[in-house]
Amino acid sequence: MPKFVIANIDKVNSAQTFQPHRIGVDETPIDPNAELTYVAQVFFSAGDELDLYVPAEILNEARAKYVYFDLALYPFFAGVKNAVGDQEKSGVVRFRRTGLESKLVGDIYVLSKLFGKPSQTHVKIREIERKAHIIVLLKFGQSIMAHIEFTTGGNERLEFEYSSPQQIIEFDSDEMRPVLPTTKTKLPLMYTVDAITETAVEITDELKQELQAIEQLLGGVVI
């Protein structure tokens, strides 16, 4: 059965994707027997015999079967998961995202799967030089304090730090860009089609309730 992925094709690293796929689908019929993943910016009606994957921002797409979360797709975060492993988690998480679109709910959901259920949330919003700046203080599990920020505008950037008695893990996408000028390369913040289909989560009522609970923790001020 074919797969259909809705994604920002500018961020898809086709060269490092292993599964057979086609980027930029036009409205030609999709072969229901093809073992192929179609990737496009928008979805068009192509029959019922396919699995539709959507980003968390359009979770409620009527025909979607799976949803994927931006943060979980990046190679650096796979490395973080491997480094943290199943060890007892305690310490401090700092996560900062800069960009045009807030992904706070999805980011917190992904982090909670690694560090524990979120609680004790405090949200602050302020405007700095005409840019919205959101700060979320919360607790993951029993022993992780987290500081999460989102700032609108500017070039996309992710910063992550996990400090515990056992280790310190740091990542800054700006420091990982291989060439200059930094506005011309997105490699650290690109992902493969494989990452989308492998990390995607089936859309269930339970998942929707988890995400709604995170929205409620945030006071409904961000999406």
Side-chain angles (χ1 to χ4, degrees), residues 207-223:
L207 173 65
K208 291 180 179 179
Q209 289 169 5
E210 282 189 72
L211 297 174
Q212 288 170 0
I214 293 173
E215 289 184 16
Q216 291 172 358
L217 281 175
L218 295 173
V221 295
V222 292
I223 298 176

Side-chain angles (χ1 to χ4, degrees), residues 17 49 91 104 109 124 133 170 173 175 181-182 203 212 222:
T17 293
E49 298 301 318
L104 269 175
Y109 172 81
K124 295 190 293 185
H133 188 63
E170 296 178 305
S173 62
E175 295 180 359
T182 57
I203 298 172
Q212 288 170 0
V222 292

Side-chain angles (χ1 to χ4, degrees), residues 6-220:
I6 297 177
N8 178 351
I9 59 176
D10 290 335
K11 297 191 66 174
V12 174
N13 190 334
S14 183
Q16 294 187 12
T17 293
F18 290 99
Q19 64 182 282
H21 64 285
R22 182 186 298 171
I23 301 288
V25 184
D26 57 25
E27 296 192 17
T28 54
I30 289 178
D31 180 358
N33 299 312
E35 293 297 324
L36 189 65
T37 301
Y38 299 86
V39 184
Q41 299 273 146
V42 296
F43 178 67
F44 58 87
S45 178
D48 296 325
E49 298 301 318
L50 55 78
D51 290 334
L52 178 59
Y53 293 72
V54 299
E57 294 73 39
I58 55 171
L59 171 66
N60 293 320
E61 160 66 48
R63 296 184 55 185
K65 184 175 181 181
Y66 299 98
V67 61
Y68 64 89
F69 297 88
D70 179 270
L71 177 58
L73 304 178
Y74 298 121
F76 93 86
F77 194 75
V80 169
K81 290 174 64 177
N82 289 334
V84 172
D86 296 326
Q87 63 183 273
E88 183 177 347
K89 301 173 183 69
S90 62
V92 177
V93 169
R94 295 181 178 86
F95 178 77
R96 178 181 298 165
R97 180 189 289 271
T98 302
L100 298 177
E101 186 177 16
S102 170
K103 303 180 188 291
L104 269 175
V105 172
D107 289 341
I108 291 173
Y109 172 81
V110 172
L111 291 169
S112 73
K113 294 305 172 183
L114 182 59
F115 294 111
K117 185 177 179 179
S119 62
Q120 300 180 21
T121 306
H122 178 68
V123 181
K124 295 190 293 185
I125 302 176
R126 56 182 178 173
E127 187 172 305
I128 303 176
E129 297 180 351
R130 297 184 179 180
K131 295 180 179 180
H133 188 63
I134 302 169
I135 300 174
V136 181
L137 306 176
L138 73 158
K139 187 175 182 180
F140 285 119
Q142 298 298 315
S143 306
I144 298 286
M145 300 306 298
H147 181 111
I148 298 174
E149 297 183 35
F150 170 70
T151 303
T152 60
N155 296 324
E156 186 176 21
R157 181 180 184 181
L158 293 186
E159 299 169 78
F160 174 88
E161 179 185 328
Y162 171 52
S163 302
S164 74
Q166 295 79 28
Q167 60 190 158
I168 297 177
I169 302 172
E170 296 178 305
F171 172 82
D172 183 340
S173 62
D174 270 12
E175 295 180 359
M176 299 294 290
R177 297 181 190 273
V179 297
L180 294 174
T182 57
T183 56
K184 298 299 183 182
T185 178
K186 301 177 181 179
L187 188 59
L189 296 181
M190 294 181 72
Y191 40 73
T192 63
V193 180
D194 303 319
I196 293 175
T197 58
E198 290 169 7
T199 66
V201 180
E202 186 173 3
I203 298 172
T204 62
D205 290 340
E206 181 179 358
L207 173 65
K208 291 180 179 179
Q209 289 169 5
E210 282 189 72
L211 297 174
Q212 288 170 0
I214 293 173
E215 289 184 16
Q216 291 172 358
L217 281 175
L218 295 173

